[in-house]
Amino acid sequence: MTSRRFLRVLIPGVLIVSAVLVIRLLADDPTIEQDGLTFAGEELARALDSPGDGPGVRVIRSFTDPGGVSCRAFLGESVSGIACRKDAGWHLRVARGGIDVSNPAAVANTERALLRSAAQMQVQ
């Protein structure tokens, strides 16, 4: 491969990868990594802090684990799971992919699985 052809392939590739990275950095990630743990990102944390449902998030159960920690099982378009209060944030103890809220079967299956996990966490 000649250097000219190599550059014609390389430059568009670098531009695409750069654009993807910029978009990822600017987008509000539903989760963040901190000290090897997964926490709710800013928007998800606000939804978990609120007494009702937040944009794109529906809390399906609030409970306290055996250690007295507040937890919430939730369904979300970008991430679903169970988050528990840890220090100043919400630690995701269970994280699943987001769901299509317009698909009743997907909502029901994910809700059932999360409620089962929440019940197990509550009695441990």
Side-chain angles (χ1 to χ4, degrees):
M1 179 183 282
T2 67
S3 62
R4 184 176 223 167
R5 185 169 180 223
F6 177 74
L7 286 175
R8 277 189 284 166
V9 172
L10 179 67
I11 290 173
V14 168
L15 291 174
I16 290 170
V17 170
S18 299
V20 168
L21 290 174
V22 167
I23 290 168
R24 180 129 170 97
L25 288 173
L26 295 176
D28 183 28
D29 232 350
T31 61
I32 56 173
E33 297 295 319
Q34 184 178 354
D35 299 327
L37 299 175
T38 303
F39 284 83
E42 189 177 322
E43 190 173 315
L44 177 56
R46 270 196 307 271
L48 293 171
D49 280 334
S50 69
D53 298 337
V57 176
R58 182 167 62 98
V59 174
I60 56 174
R61 182 169 185 193
S62 295
F63 64 96
T64 304
D65 76 0
V69 177
S70 296
C71 301
R72 291 190 158 196
F74 64 94
L75 299 172
E77 294 171 352
S78 55
V79 65
S80 296
I82 299 174
C84 298
R85 197 47 125 150
K86 181 172 176 60
D87 301 324
W90 287 95
H91 170 227
L92 271 70
R93 291 189 184 173
V94 176
R96 302 178 70 130
I99 59 165
D100 177 3
V101 293
S102 66
N103 181 342
V107 170
N109 288 336
T110 304
E111 187 171 347
R112 247 189 323 274
L114 290 173
L115 289 175
R116 208 172 21 250
S117 294
Q120 290 172 348
M121 287 174 68
Q122 195 170 4
V123 296
Q124 288 180 346

